[in-house]
Amino acid sequence: MKYITKIFSIMVLAAVILTSCKKDFPNINAPSSDQIFQDKDGLIAASIGMVQHFSTSTLAPIVEIPGITTREFGVSSTYVTPMELTYGGTALSGENAGVSRLWSRLLRDKGMAEQILASVDNVEMPDGTKSGIKALAKFMKAMTLGYLVMDYEQAPINNGENAEFSNRTKVLNEAVSLLKSGLSDISANPISGDFKNKVIPTIDLKNSMEAFLARYYLYLGDYANAIAAADKVDLTSKSEWWYDGSENKNPVYNFAVDGQPDTKPRWNFGIMINPGTGYVEYQPEPGDGRLTFYMDTTVHEHALPEFGGYEIHNLKGFFDKGNAKIPVYLPGEMLLIKAEAYARQDKLTEAVQQINAVREKTNDVFGVNAGLGAWTGDATSKTAVLDQIYIQRCIELFLTGQRLEDSRRIHGNFVPSPNKDIVSERNRNFYPYPYQERNNNSNCPPDPTI
């Protein structure tokens, strides 16, 4: 414990140095970044801090911001930030605090990963420790890149002054390269028990990298590789972000459960469907066990009337306690990745088999079990199959930060309204870039229209 406390203190100083602006006054008692990253202890400290910051800080806006945009959350206050996100459209600007928070925290974690990768090969340490540090940093950078282009149209692959932006295809390909490289690192030199126990005791790094590979291959339209990567993931293994409930609390619990939250989950997972006559609320199937897994359905409240007045519940699942663990990925995602990849290749029979594997699941390692019967929709219609995949993703992967990406990818022909929109399935395609980024980076591209 003394060792962890010591190296975490070094990490905190590193984070201050890495994220401070030029106007900050230097702390002459603080170690320089060179000191922090020049030995094994400093690199382990930075790795611990990188994981902790992502899991306790960055994960909050990853879930909350697109969760409001895509109706997963109903809003019960008139605070400016959630109000602007609820209405969306062209009125949402780069001044929105939520949009800025999501961007800046992802860049901070990405920068820490880059600093670790730039330093680790210059430090002597056991091979299994070095491979663990490198693979984790590559995983974290790949994750942050992925989340950036799930919510923003373009992003910088590398941090730096006037960082150059790249389109989402290039960014996702970089994320894939990082994950493949990380898998090669730990294949050549298996992670040491020392690194595993000190830095990632609750994370199966190999499975996590394979899972995110499958995710990004799907986003890229590389369906054969998406299926192959998903098949490599052990669906009985857990990877979890860990919290102690005191100093390091579950971040979704912090904003959506603790105290008097202004955002709570919509009663039907916020799913809006359009049967051809306009958007209406999806009605969950009776007996779907995921409804009571994720929400306390005995508590009935409502969002504010100006935000639609939709029914909201108290949140459960992975978020009902300060020390509740959050999965890094869910096993059901791998089944749904395969379902969509098969459907995109017009292999509808195989796609429906994967849909039913999710619907009929009763033995999920995390307890996310629908326990339903087989799908009875039109299995000969590619559109119907993809719509069912979208609904299952909305439910199975509730509050994983993927809804905006899913809505845009599967229902790409839908164009959000430029005006206040509280009805359709999403009210933006991508977020505007934060004003701070625009003011400090001459390479910042124009904001997307909506």
Side-chain angles (χ1 to χ4, degrees), residues 233-254:
V233 178
D234 180 356
L235 302 187
T236 66
S237 176
K238 286 185 173 183
S239 277
E240 299 171 297
W241 304 116
W242 178 88
Y243 307 97
D244 61 19
S246 55
E247 291 184 6
N248 304 301
K249 287 186 180 181
N250 181 308
V252 181
Y253 167 84
N254 275 346

Side-chain angles (χ1 to χ4, degrees), residues 159-179:
N159 286 10
E161 188 172 353
N162 283 328
E164 197 174 315
F165 279 63
S166 297
N167 64 41
R168 59 182 275 109
T169 299
K170 188 173 181 179
V171 171
L172 287 171
N173 276 319
E174 176 67 17
V176 165
S177 295
L178 286 163
L179 292 169

Side-chain angles (χ1 to χ4, degrees), residues 71-74 264-272 280-285 290-292 294-297 299-303 309-314 395 398:
R71 322 304 184 185
E72 289 181 299
F73 286 113
K264 288 189 176 184
R266 292 263 294 267
W267 75 278
N268 68 335
F269 303 97
I271 302 171
M272 305 297 290
V280 296
E281 289 186 292
Y282 166 80
Q283 302 293 313
E285 294 181 56
R290 295 167 297 185
L291 186 62
T292 52
Y294 279 115
M295 285 175 265
D296 181 355
T297 58
V299 178
H300 302 272
E301 300 175 9
H302 289 86
Y310 299 109
E311 187 173 340
I312 54 179
H313 291 314
N314 285 344
I395 300 172
F398 188 54

